[in-house]
């Protein structure tokens, strides 16, 4: 299947899932940092769909508000995929992935493709209402998408597709709650934590994931949380955890994803400009997204260079 030449940029200024204010400004910061220009310079047709605005009161944080956001995001992603575009959902806190992955699941339910998820994040985000210490929904999207009890009311009515937890690849994990750890283990979620990356680097683990997606002819959804990066590189996030990926490791991941041609949808989440340092994190994210979509210093040779 040829890679889409059109990207639908979907702003999701949502902070309903977090107790730290500021993520609502994330989509505007990414646009200000040049996201649209960079993608267009790379030859893509970019359609800015603006920021979603579901029918709920600003500041409303109850169940109807969460469901309104999830329904709106899911429909926008499903519409983009149905039209042959690649949806790039710019957030906003990580609860938006409830909607973006739901939209991908609904689209792929018709095409027959399995959905596999690469979750670039310091956290597992697999808490349930019972295990979450904070009660913040941005720590629960994967559990909800996989059908853990207590989440059905977050989604639009009717039967909904579920994400197979064995198709999730947590990459860069370095913080997990005790109850969450038990569920991740029980559900056979794939985990590449920072210990693994320290030992083996990013290439071998990521290559295994990409080989799996290719063998399944799957739809790869990449969900990129700012806190995947070390806070020294990207401080503009409310959930910083020391010891994250370096800028070069993150670029290599994006370059490998680009080379694979397998990415079908993308989230960029948890950017909090209020906590950033003069736009540093937003600019870093734009640079990394550019690598995912093909920016490179020179074209790579088709064969390795000859030894001297």
């Amino acid at each position: 299947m040829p890679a889409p030449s059109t990207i639908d940029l979907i702003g999701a200024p949502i902070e309903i899932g977090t107790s730290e204010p500021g993520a609502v400004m994330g989509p505007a910061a990414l646009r200000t940092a040049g996201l649209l220009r960079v993608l267009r310079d790379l030859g893509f047709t970019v359609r800015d769909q603006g920021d979603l605005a579901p029918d709920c009161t600003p500041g409303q944080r109850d169940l109807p508000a969460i469901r309104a956001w999830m329904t709106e995001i899911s429909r926008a992603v499903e519409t983009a995929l149905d039209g042959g575009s690649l949806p790039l959902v710019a957030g906003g806190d990580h609860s938006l992935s409830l909607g973006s992955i739901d939209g991908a699941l609904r689209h792929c339910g018709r095409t027959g493709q399995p959905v596999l998820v690469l979750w670039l994040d310091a956290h597992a985000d697999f808490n349930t209402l019972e295990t979450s210490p904070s009660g913040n929904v941005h720590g629960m999207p994967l559990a909800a998408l996989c059908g853990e009890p207590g989440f059905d009311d977050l989604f639009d009515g009717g039967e909904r597709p579920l994400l197979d937890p064995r198709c999730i690849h947590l990459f860069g994990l370095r913080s997990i709650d005790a109850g969450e750890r038990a569920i991740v283990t029980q559900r056979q979620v794939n985990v590449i934590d920072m210990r693994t990356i320290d030992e083996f680097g990013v290439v071998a683990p990521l290559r295994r994931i990409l080989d799996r997606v290719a063998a399944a002819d799957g739809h790869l959804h990449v969900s990129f949380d700012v806190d995947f990066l070390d806070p020294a590189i990207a401080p503009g996030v409310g959930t910083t955890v020391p010891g994250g990926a370096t800028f070069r490791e993150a670029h290599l991941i994006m370059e490998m994803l680009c080379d694979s041609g397998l990415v079908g949808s993308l989230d960029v989440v948890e950017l909090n400009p209020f906590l950033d340092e003069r736009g540093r994190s937003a600019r870093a994210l734009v640079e990394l997204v550019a690598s995912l979509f093909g920016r490179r210093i020179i074209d790579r040779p088709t064969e390795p260079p000859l030894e001297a």
Side-chain angles (χ1 to χ4, degrees), residues 26-49:
L30 289 169
R31 290 186 179 95
T32 302
L35 181 59
L36 291 161
R37 174 184 53 77
V38 163
L39 294 174
R40 286 169 177 155
D41 286 349
L42 289 168
F44 290 91
T45 299
V46 184
R47 301 185 300 201
D48 189 349
Q49 303 292 355

Side-chain angles (χ1 to χ4, degrees), residues 20-131:
E20 183 72 53
V24 69
M25 300 183 287
L30 289 169
R31 290 186 179 95
T32 302
L35 181 59
L36 291 161
R37 174 184 53 77
V38 163
L39 294 174
R40 286 169 177 155
D41 286 349
L42 289 168
F44 290 91
T45 299
V46 184
R47 301 185 300 201
D48 189 349
Q49 303 292 355
D51 288 346
L52 300 177
D55 186 17
C56 55
T57 305
Q60 185 180 350
R61 300 175 64 86
D62 56 7
L63 179 62
I66 297 172
R67 185 169 56 241
W69 270 106
M70 297 313 106
T71 302
E72 197 86 4
I73 295 168
S74 177
R75 287 174 181 167
V77 168
E78 186 178 9
T79 298
L81 290 170
D82 288 349
S85 294
L86 188 151
L88 194 170
V89 184
D93 75 68
H94 220 154
S95 65
L96 69 82
S97 294
L98 285 162
S100 60
I101 296 177
D102 182 70
L105 286 166
R106 291 179 187 276
H107 168 80
C108 291
R110 293 191 299 276
T111 65
Q113 277 188 295
V115 174
L116 295 94
V117 174
L118 178 62
W119 198 261
L120 300 169
D121 199 325
H123 306 87
D125 293 344
F126 218 106
N127 268 305
T128 66
L129 298 170
E130 288 73 30
T131 65

